[in-house]
PDB file of all heavy atoms in Angstrom:
ATOM      1  N   ILE A 133     -13.300   5.368 -11.486  1.00 95.00           N
ATOM      2  CA  ILE A 133     -11.979   5.417 -12.116  1.00 95.00           C
ATOM      3  C   ILE A 133     -11.651   6.830 -12.581  1.00 95.00           C
ATOM      4  O   ILE A 133     -10.521   7.301 -12.446  1.00 95.00           O
ATOM      5  CB  ILE A 133     -11.911   4.430 -13.297  1.00 95.00           C
ATOM      6  CG1 ILE A 133     -12.051   2.983 -12.796  1.00 95.00           C
ATOM      7  CG2 ILE A 133     -10.599   4.586 -14.066  1.00 95.00           C
ATOM      8  CD1 ILE A 133     -12.118   1.964 -13.908  1.00 95.00           C
ATOM      9  N   GLN A 134     -12.653   7.510 -13.108  1.00 94.00           N
ATOM     10  CA  GLN A 134     -12.448   8.847 -13.658  1.00 94.00           C
ATOM     11  C   GLN A 134     -12.842   9.938 -12.659  1.00 94.00           C
ATOM     12  O   GLN A 134     -13.318  11.009 -13.047  1.00 94.00           O
ATOM     13  CB  GLN A 134     -13.269   9.008 -14.940  1.00 94.00           C
ATOM     14  CG  GLN A 134     -12.947   7.971 -16.011  1.00 94.00           C
ATOM     15  CD  GLN A 134     -13.657   8.247 -17.305  1.00 94.00           C
ATOM     16  OE1 GLN A 134     -13.456   9.285 -17.941  1.00 94.00           O
ATOM     17  NE2 GLN A 134     -14.526   7.333 -17.716  1.00 94.00           N
ATOM     18  N   TRP A 135     -12.623   9.687 -11.392  1.00 95.00           N
ATOM     19  CA  TRP A 135     -13.080  10.610 -10.363  1.00 95.00           C
ATOM     20  C   TRP A 135     -12.457  11.991 -10.476  1.00 95.00           C
ATOM     21  O   TRP A 135     -13.065  12.983 -10.074  1.00 95.00           O
ATOM     22  CB  TRP A 135     -12.801  10.003  -8.972  1.00 95.00           C
ATOM     23  CG  TRP A 135     -11.349   9.794  -8.655  1.00 95.00           C
ATOM     24  CD1 TRP A 135     -10.611   8.684  -8.908  1.00 95.00           C
ATOM     25  CD2 TRP A 135     -10.459  10.718  -8.021  1.00 95.00           C
ATOM     26  NE1 TRP A 135      -9.318   8.845  -8.481  1.00 95.00           N
ATOM     27  CE2 TRP A 135      -9.191  10.088  -7.931  1.00 95.00           C
ATOM     28  CE3 TRP A 135     -10.604  12.008  -7.525  1.00 95.00           C
ATOM     29  CZ2 TRP A 135      -8.095  10.717  -7.359  1.00 95.00           C
ATOM     30  CZ3 TRP A 135      -9.500  12.637  -6.956  1.00 95.00           C
ATOM     31  CH2 TRP A 135      -8.269  11.982  -6.873  1.00 95.00           C
ATOM     32  N   ARG A 136     -11.277  12.103 -11.056  1.00 95.00           N
ATOM     33  CA  ARG A 136     -10.645  13.422 -11.207  1.00 95.00           C
ATOM     34  C   ARG A 136     -11.441  14.335 -12.128  1.00 95.00           C
ATOM     35  O   ARG A 136     -11.339  15.564 -12.038  1.00 95.00           O
ATOM     36  CB  ARG A 136      -9.212  13.268 -11.740  1.00 95.00           C
ATOM     37  CG  ARG A 136      -8.235  12.688 -10.726  1.00 95.00           C
ATOM     38  CD  ARG A 136      -6.860  12.498 -11.345  1.00 95.00           C
ATOM     39  NE  ARG A 136      -5.886  11.982 -10.396  1.00 95.00           N
ATOM     40  CZ  ARG A 136      -5.752  10.692 -10.088  1.00 95.00           C
ATOM     41  NH1 ARG A 136      -6.570   9.799 -10.650  1.00 95.00           N
ATOM     42  NH2 ARG A 136      -4.854  10.297  -9.224  1.00 95.00           N
ATOM     43  N   LYS A 137     -12.220  13.746 -13.039  1.00 92.00           N
ATOM     44  CA  LYS A 137     -13.054  14.547 -13.937  1.00 92.00           C
ATOM     45  C   LYS A 137     -14.273  15.130 -13.223  1.00 92.00           C
ATOM     46  O   LYS A 137     -14.870  16.097 -13.693  1.00 92.00           O
ATOM     47  CB  LYS A 137     -13.531  13.690 -15.116  1.00 92.00           C
ATOM     48  CG  LYS A 137     -12.432  13.264 -16.069  1.00 92.00           C
ATOM     49  CD  LYS A 137     -13.031  12.499 -17.236  1.00 92.00           C
ATOM     50  CE  LYS A 137     -11.963  12.090 -18.242  1.00 92.00           C
ATOM     51  NZ  LYS A 137     -12.552  11.352 -19.397  1.00 92.00           N
ATOM     52  N   LEU A 138     -14.635  14.527 -12.104  1.00 92.00           N
ATOM     53  CA  LEU A 138     -15.858  14.923 -11.419  1.00 92.00           C
ATOM     54  C   LEU A 138     -15.656  16.010 -10.376  1.00 92.00           C
ATOM     55  O   LEU A 138     -16.593  16.730 -10.041  1.00 92.00           O
ATOM     56  CB  LEU A 138     -16.484  13.701 -10.737  1.00 92.00           C
ATOM     57  CG  LEU A 138     -16.803  12.508 -11.630  1.00 92.00           C
ATOM     58  CD1 LEU A 138     -17.395  11.379 -10.799  1.00 92.00           C
ATOM     59  CD2 LEU A 138     -17.746  12.907 -12.741  1.00 92.00           C
ATOM     60  N   TYR A 139     -14.432  16.115  -9.866  1.00 94.00           N
ATOM     61  CA  TYR A 139     -14.194  17.029  -8.760  1.00 94.00           C
ATOM     62  C   TYR A 139     -13.003  17.941  -9.053  1.00 94.00           C
ATOM     63  O   TYR A 139     -12.037  17.532  -9.686  1.00 94.00           O
ATOM     64  CB  TYR A 139     -13.946  16.240  -7.465  1.00 94.00           C
ATOM     65  CG  TYR A 139     -15.048  15.263  -7.173  1.00 94.00           C
ATOM     66  CD1 TYR A 139     -14.882  13.892  -7.420  1.00 94.00           C
ATOM     67  CD2 TYR A 139     -16.272  15.688  -6.673  1.00 94.00           C
ATOM     68  CE1 TYR A 139     -15.901  12.998  -7.174  1.00 94.00           C
ATOM     69  CE2 TYR A 139     -17.298  14.798  -6.427  1.00 94.00           C
ATOM     70  CZ  TYR A 139     -17.107  13.453  -6.682  1.00 94.00           C
ATOM     71  OH  TYR A 139     -18.117  12.572  -6.452  1.00 94.00           O
ATOM     72  N   ARG A 140     -13.099  19.153  -8.557  1.00 95.00           N
ATOM     73  CA  ARG A 140     -11.998  20.088  -8.742  1.00 95.00           C
ATOM     74  C   ARG A 140     -11.076  20.150  -7.516  1.00 95.00           C
ATOM     75  O   ARG A 140      -9.978  20.692  -7.575  1.00 95.00           O
ATOM     76  CB  ARG A 140     -12.547  21.482  -9.039  1.00 95.00           C
ATOM     77  CG  ARG A 140     -13.363  22.102  -7.907  1.00 95.00           C
ATOM     78  CD  ARG A 140     -13.837  23.484  -8.278  1.00 95.00           C
ATOM     79  NE  ARG A 140     -14.610  24.093  -7.204  1.00 95.00           N
ATOM     80  CZ  ARG A 140     -15.124  25.317  -7.278  1.00 95.00           C
ATOM     81  NH1 ARG A 140     -14.950  26.029  -8.369  1.00 95.00           N
ATOM     82  NH2 ARG A 140     -15.809  25.807  -6.273  1.00 95.00           N
ATOM     83  N   ARG A 141     -11.549  19.587  -6.407  1.00 96.00           N
ATOM     84  CA  ARG A 141     -10.735  19.588  -5.191  1.00 96.00           C
ATOM     85  C   ARG A 141     -11.075  18.360  -4.362  1.00 96.00           C
ATOM     86  O   ARG A 141     -12.229  17.943  -4.279  1.00 96.00           O
ATOM     87  CB  ARG A 141     -11.002  20.865  -4.385  1.00 96.00           C
ATOM     88  CG  ARG A 141     -10.065  21.051  -3.186  1.00 96.00           C
ATOM     89  CD  ARG A 141     -10.172  22.448  -2.598  1.00 96.00           C
ATOM     90  NE  ARG A 141     -11.505  22.762  -2.113  1.00 96.00           N
ATOM     91  CZ  ARG A 141     -12.357  23.577  -2.695  1.00 96.00           C
ATOM     92  NH1 ARG A 141     -12.020  24.166  -3.824  1.00 96.00           N
ATOM     93  NH2 ARG A 141     -13.552  23.818  -2.186  1.00 96.00           N
ATOM     94  N   TRP A 142     -10.052  17.760  -3.744  1.00 97.00           N
ATOM     95  CA  TRP A 142     -10.257  16.618  -2.851  1.00 97.00           C
ATOM     96  C   TRP A 142      -9.372  16.788  -1.630  1.00 97.00           C
ATOM     97  O   TRP A 142      -8.232  17.245  -1.706  1.00 97.00           O
ATOM     98  CB  TRP A 142      -9.981  15.298  -3.568  1.00 97.00           C
ATOM     99  CG  TRP A 142      -8.799  15.314  -4.485  1.00 97.00           C
ATOM    100  CD1 TRP A 142      -7.487  15.036  -4.184  1.00 97.00           C
ATOM    101  CD2 TRP A 142      -8.814  15.650  -5.881  1.00 97.00           C
ATOM    102  NE1 TRP A 142      -6.706  15.162  -5.298  1.00 97.00           N
ATOM    103  CE2 TRP A 142      -7.496  15.541  -6.360  1.00 97.00           C
ATOM    104  CE3 TRP A 142      -9.822  16.029  -6.779  1.00 97.00           C
ATOM    105  CZ2 TRP A 142      -7.151  15.806  -7.679  1.00 97.00           C
ATOM    106  CZ3 TRP A 142      -9.485  16.297  -8.092  1.00 97.00           C
ATOM    107  CH2 TRP A 142      -8.162  16.173  -8.527  1.00 97.00           C
ATOM    108  N   GLU A 143      -9.891  16.408  -0.474  1.00 97.00           N
ATOM    109  CA  GLU A 143      -9.204  16.647   0.799  1.00 97.00           C
ATOM    110  C   GLU A 143      -9.433  15.482   1.740  1.00 97.00           C
ATOM    111  O   GLU A 143     -10.557  15.011   1.908  1.00 97.00           O
ATOM    112  CB  GLU A 143      -9.742  17.937   1.433  1.00 97.00           C
ATOM    113  CG  GLU A 143      -9.221  18.206   2.824  1.00 97.00           C
ATOM    114  CD  GLU A 143      -9.978  19.318   3.517  1.00 97.00           C
ATOM    115  OE1 GLU A 143     -10.947  19.850   2.925  1.00 97.00           O
ATOM    116  OE2 GLU A 143      -9.609  19.654   4.657  1.00 97.00           O
ATOM    117  N   LEU A 144      -8.363  14.996   2.337  1.00 97.00           N
ATOM    118  CA  LEU A 144      -8.459  13.949   3.340  1.00 97.00           C
ATOM    119  C   LEU A 144      -8.812  14.588   4.688  1.00 97.00           C
ATOM    120  O   LEU A 144      -8.037  15.360   5.242  1.00 97.00           O
ATOM    121  CB  LEU A 144      -7.136  13.184   3.448  1.00 97.00           C
ATOM    122  CG  LEU A 144      -7.043  12.134   4.552  1.00 97.00           C
ATOM    123  CD1 LEU A 144      -8.117  11.068   4.398  1.00 97.00           C
ATOM    124  CD2 LEU A 144      -5.658  11.488   4.558  1.00 97.00           C
ATOM    125  N   VAL A 145      -9.993  14.269   5.204  1.00 95.00           N
ATOM    126  CA  VAL A 145     -10.446  14.835   6.472  1.00 95.00           C
ATOM    127  C   VAL A 145      -9.827  14.098   7.655  1.00 95.00           C
ATOM    128  O   VAL A 145      -9.507  14.681   8.682  1.00 95.00           O
ATOM    129  CB  VAL A 145     -11.986  14.793   6.556  1.00 95.00           C
ATOM    130  CG1 VAL A 145     -12.473  15.346   7.883  1.00 95.00           C
ATOM    131  CG2 VAL A 145     -12.597  15.586   5.397  1.00 95.00           C
ATOM    132  N   GLY A 146      -9.649  12.797   7.495  1.00 95.00           N
ATOM    133  CA  GLY A 146      -9.076  11.999   8.573  1.00 95.00           C
ATOM    134  C   GLY A 146      -9.592  10.573   8.494  1.00 95.00           C
ATOM    135  O   GLY A 146     -10.099  10.140   7.474  1.00 95.00           O
ATOM    136  N   VAL A 147      -9.452   9.844   9.592  1.00 96.00           N
ATOM    137  CA  VAL A 147      -9.953   8.480   9.683  1.00 96.00           C
ATOM    138  C   VAL A 147     -11.108   8.460  10.672  1.00 96.00           C
ATOM    139  O   VAL A 147     -10.999   8.972  11.777  1.00 96.00           O
ATOM    140  CB  VAL A 147      -8.845   7.499  10.132  1.00 96.00           C
ATOM    141  CG1 VAL A 147      -9.403   6.100  10.322  1.00 96.00           C
ATOM    142  CG2 VAL A 147      -7.706   7.492   9.120  1.00 96.00           C
ATOM    143  N   ARG A 148     -12.238   7.889  10.260  1.00 96.00           N
ATOM    144  CA  ARG A 148     -13.442   7.867  11.075  1.00 96.00           C
ATOM    145  C   ARG A 148     -13.948   6.431  11.227  1.00 96.00           C
ATOM    146  O   ARG A 148     -13.608   5.554  10.437  1.00 96.00           O
ATOM    147  CB  ARG A 148     -14.543   8.721  10.433  1.00 96.00           C
ATOM    148  CG  ARG A 148     -14.111  10.139  10.072  1.00 96.00           C
ATOM    149  CD  ARG A 148     -13.843  10.972  11.314  1.00 96.00           C
ATOM    150  NE  ARG A 148     -13.592  12.367  10.993  1.00 96.00           N
ATOM    151  CZ  ARG A 148     -12.398  12.936  10.973  1.00 96.00           C
ATOM    152  NH1 ARG A 148     -11.321  12.187  11.209  1.00 96.00           N
ATOM    153  NH2 ARG A 148     -12.262  14.214  10.703  1.00 96.00           N
ATOM    154  N   LYS A 149     -14.786   6.207  12.207  1.00 96.00           N
ATOM    155  CA  LYS A 149     -15.409   4.905  12.405  1.00 96.00           C
ATOM    156  C   LYS A 149     -16.702   4.815  11.599  1.00 96.00           C
ATOM    157  O   LYS A 149     -17.558   5.704  11.679  1.00 96.00           O
ATOM    158  CB  LYS A 149     -15.724   4.681  13.885  1.00 96.00           C
ATOM    159  CG  LYS A 149     -14.500   4.466  14.773  1.00 96.00           C
ATOM    160  CD  LYS A 149     -13.853   3.100  14.506  1.00 96.00           C
ATOM    161  CE  LYS A 149     -12.721   2.837  15.493  1.00 96.00           C
ATOM    162  NZ  LYS A 149     -12.051   1.522  15.220  1.00 96.00           N
ATOM    163  N   VAL A 150     -16.837   3.754  10.807  1.00 97.00           N
ATOM    164  CA  VAL A 150     -18.075   3.461  10.084  1.00 97.00           C
ATOM    165  C   VAL A 150     -18.443   2.017  10.382  1.00 97.00           C
ATOM    166  O   VAL A 150     -17.689   1.105  10.024  1.00 97.00           O
ATOM    167  CB  VAL A 150     -17.915   3.675   8.564  1.00 97.00           C
ATOM    168  CG1 VAL A 150     -19.208   3.294   7.845  1.00 97.00           C
ATOM    169  CG2 VAL A 150     -17.540   5.116   8.256  1.00 97.00           C
ATOM    170  N   ASN A 151     -19.543   1.831  11.076  1.00 95.00           N
ATOM    171  CA  ASN A 151     -19.973   0.489  11.486  1.00 95.00           C
ATOM    172  C   ASN A 151     -18.870  -0.267  12.222  1.00 95.00           C
ATOM    173  O   ASN A 151     -18.644  -1.462  12.008  1.00 95.00           O
ATOM    174  CB  ASN A 151     -20.438  -0.314  10.261  1.00 95.00           C
ATOM    175  CG  ASN A 151     -21.679   0.283   9.623  1.00 95.00           C
ATOM    176  OD1 ASN A 151     -22.530   0.834  10.310  1.00 95.00           O
ATOM    177  ND2 ASN A 151     -21.770   0.189   8.308  1.00 95.00           N
ATOM    178  N   GLY A 152     -18.158   0.458  13.074  1.00 95.00           N
ATOM    179  CA  GLY A 152     -17.134  -0.159  13.911  1.00 95.00           C
ATOM    180  C   GLY A 152     -15.783  -0.356  13.258  1.00 95.00           C
ATOM    181  O   GLY A 152     -14.855  -0.862  13.902  1.00 95.00           O
ATOM    182  N   ARG A 153     -15.632   0.045  12.000  1.00 96.00           N
ATOM    183  CA  ARG A 153     -14.365  -0.118  11.280  1.00 96.00           C
ATOM    184  C   ARG A 153     -13.806   1.245  10.887  1.00 96.00           C
ATOM    185  O   ARG A 153     -14.552   2.198  10.669  1.00 96.00           O
ATOM    186  CB  ARG A 153     -14.575  -0.970  10.026  1.00 96.00           C
ATOM    187  CG  ARG A 153     -14.950  -2.410  10.308  1.00 96.00           C
ATOM    188  CD  ARG A 153     -15.264  -3.164   9.025  1.00 96.00           C
ATOM    189  NE  ARG A 153     -14.112  -3.181   8.123  1.00 96.00           N
ATOM    190  CZ  ARG A 153     -13.184  -4.133   8.118  1.00 96.00           C
ATOM    191  NH1 ARG A 153     -13.257  -5.136   8.980  1.00 96.00           N
ATOM    192  NH2 ARG A 153     -12.173  -4.103   7.267  1.00 96.00           N
TER     193      ARG A 153
END
Side-chain angles (χ1 to χ4, degrees):
I133 295 175
Q134 303 186 62
W135 63 270
R136 289 177 178 83
K137 292 184 178 181
L138 303 179
Y139 306 103
R140 64 179 180 179
R141 188 168 61 253
W142 40 89
E143 173 192 3
L144 175 59
V145 179
V147 176
R148 308 292 187 257
K149 290 289 186 182
V150 177
N151 295 326
R153 293 175 60 91

